[in-house]
């Protein structure tokens, strides 16, 4: 590949130095892999979120500082910022376990008791550390899947850089729009997928048929999978209905006429892709946790086929439709992966009476509400947005509130969890005029609501109120 043009490099030697620094940052992050896995096994989800958030904040601050202060050093500054963030990531994990090992109560629950045990070691006469063969087989399967998943996820960038399919300006538009469209997937769907995988992996045994496992755990896994499929299907469908009509407005406010005119079809396609990403994330979280090593290898072979079909489809559709062809090819790729996941789940649960895929059967009222919202917002975009953008946004806001109200029964678990989170936040910050005594809180289906306004909102949604709130 050709190096960047000299006008963006302060010195010609910066580009090879950047490559070395990026590779070094990868090595630093791999050094944190052992404490990362141990923290995941202990279900320290908040720790992972805080460490990754700190890494991203440090990187962003360093990159922004270099761009503002010395913009001609932006390329080398990006690489150095990346390395600094990786060092923060690695050191944070080891500091967390140094603190955990000093806690005499917590250290008893950990499989390791010292930092030295987290580092590579080998027995006398061994050249490499000893590894169990069964573990090695599963690890090889996951390694191949990671490479294939990288090709499937980032394959369009390889095509963009290696083949003359789109111009640099189109690449820039695609990157901006895809980053905006992927915010939901990165911030929400990725966390849900990771948490779901951990739950399924600790609930099910991958080497045993379901009929031979604990029936209670199998039922819990099936119910959780059905719940995730239903909720994510509805949420992604709502995003699609409103995203289609407000893609142009969002890009107009974000980047002006140039970005909105070229990026609107891309953003609308990204909204559709989000539906596929939501369903694929849940199904793959389950299949990766439930498949044995033979099924994992078979799935890896299928991913090879899917990746080839995806890359071929992306090249063909981009030639016909432009840069939006990458998104349509990705939708087709996700559809293939979802179909295989559904086939595996249906086949696995066939000997039982459980049918978790029923979560995909949305009620007629939910589909009708989303379809009505799509029609209303599309009409507003066609006739109202040209008159007033504010009025167009107001129409969407009112319609969105109405849709949320109509979907309250389908998404009751999501709503109650959100209200509970808001309640805990208000109690923590001690907002004046909003809190009441903790002992006088209401409990709606296991959700503690001590805030009067939140409790009233729950009552408006579901018509449930306790006697102590009635007296108030």
């Amino acid at each position: 590949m050709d190096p960047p043009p000299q006008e963006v490099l302060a010195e010609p030697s910066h580009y090879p130095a950047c490559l070395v620094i990026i590779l070094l940052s990868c090595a630093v992050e791999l050094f944190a892999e052992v404490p990362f896995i141990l923290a995941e096994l202990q279900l320290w989800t908040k720790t992972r979120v805080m460490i990754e958030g700190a890494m991203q904040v440090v990187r962003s601050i360093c990159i922004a500082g270099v761009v503002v202060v010395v913009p001609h050093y932006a390329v080398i500054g990006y690489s150095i910022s990346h390395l600094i963030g990786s060092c923060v990531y690695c050191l944070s994990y080891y500091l967390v376990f140094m603190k955990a090992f000093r806690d005499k109560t917590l250290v008893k629950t950990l499989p390791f008791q010292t930092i030295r045990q987290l580092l590579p070691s080998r027995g006398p006469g061994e050249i490499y550390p000893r590894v169990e063969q069964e573990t090695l087989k599963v690890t090889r399967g996951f390694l191949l899947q990671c490479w294939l998943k990288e090709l499937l996820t980032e394959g369009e960038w390889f095509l963009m850089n290696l083949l003359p399919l789109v111009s640099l300006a189109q690449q820039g538009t695609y990157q901006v729009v895809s980053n905006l469209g992927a915010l939901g997937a990165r911030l929400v769907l990725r966390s849900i997928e990771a948490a779901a995988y951990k739950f399924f992996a600790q609930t099910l045994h991958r080497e045993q048929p379901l009929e031979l496992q604990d029936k209670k755990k199998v039922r819990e896994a099936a119910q959780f999978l059905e719940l995730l499929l239903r909720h994510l299907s509805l949420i992604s469908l709502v995003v699609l209905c409103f995203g289609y009509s407000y893609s142009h407005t969002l890009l107009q406010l974000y980047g002006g006429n140039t970005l909105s005119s070229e990026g609107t079809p891309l953003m609308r396609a990204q909204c559709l892709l989000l539906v596929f990403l939501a369903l694929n994330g849940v199904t793959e979280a389950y299949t990766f946790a439930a498949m044995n090593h033979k099924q994992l290898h078979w799935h890896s072979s299928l991913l090879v086929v899917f990746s080839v079909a995806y890359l071929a489809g992306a090249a063909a559709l981009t030639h016909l439709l432009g840069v939006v062809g990458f998104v349509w090819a990705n939708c087709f790729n996700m559809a293939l992966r979802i179909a295989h996941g559904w086939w595996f789940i249906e086949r696995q649960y066939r000997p039982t009476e459980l049918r978790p895929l029923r979560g995909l059967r949305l009620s007629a009222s939910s589909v009708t509400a989303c379809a009505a919202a799509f029609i209303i917002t599309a009409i507003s975009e066609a006739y109202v947005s040209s008159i007033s953008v504010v009025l167009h946004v107001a129409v969407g806001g009112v319609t969105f509130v109405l849709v949320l109200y109509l979907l309250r029964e389908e998404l009751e678990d999501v709503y109650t969890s959100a209200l509970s989170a808001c309640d805990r936040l208000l109690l923590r910050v001690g907002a004046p005029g909003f809190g009441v005594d903790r002992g006088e809180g209401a409990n709606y289906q296991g959700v503690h609501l001590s805030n009067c306004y939140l409790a009233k909102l729950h009552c408006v949604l579901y018509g449930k109120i306790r006697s102590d709130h009635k007296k108030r």
Side-chain angles (χ1 to χ4, degrees), residues 59-84:
R59 283 180 179 172
S60 301
I61 291 175
C62 292
I63 293 172
V66 171
V67 172
V68 172
V69 179
V70 282
H72 53 287
Y73 286 96
V75 177
I76 190 72
Y78 169 81
S79 303
I80 295 175
S81 302
H82 209 278
L83 178 59
I84 294 173

Side-chain angles (χ1 to χ4, degrees), residues 307-326:
S307 62
V308 172
Y310 163 60
L311 295 176
L317 291 176
T318 304
H319 181 72
L320 296 174
L321 305 176
V323 70
V324 74
F326 284 112

Side-chain angles (χ1 to χ4, degrees), residues 134 138 200-218 221 286-296 344-345 347-352:
E134 189 64 28
V138 177
F200 293 135
Q202 296 191 4
T203 305
L204 302 174
H205 297 282
R206 63 172 69 249
E207 298 296 337
Q208 290 183 356
L210 291 183
E211 55 268 24
L212 300 180
Q213 299 185 33
D214 188 345
K215 294 183 178 180
K216 182 180 178 181
K217 290 186 176 181
V218 172
Y286 180 86
T287 54
F288 286 165
M291 285 180 174
N292 56 40
H293 73 275
K294 293 182 179 179
Q295 292 169 332
L296 284 173
F344 173 80
I345 295 170
R347 186 167 174 262
Q348 189 183 37
Y349 280 94
R350 193 174 298 164
T352 69

Side-chain angles (χ1 to χ4, degrees), residues 1-9 12 14-16 19 75:
M1 297 174 61
D2 295 331
Q6 293 299 323
E7 55 265 22
V8 301
L9 295 173
H14 281 186
Y15 186 64
L19 299 179
V75 177

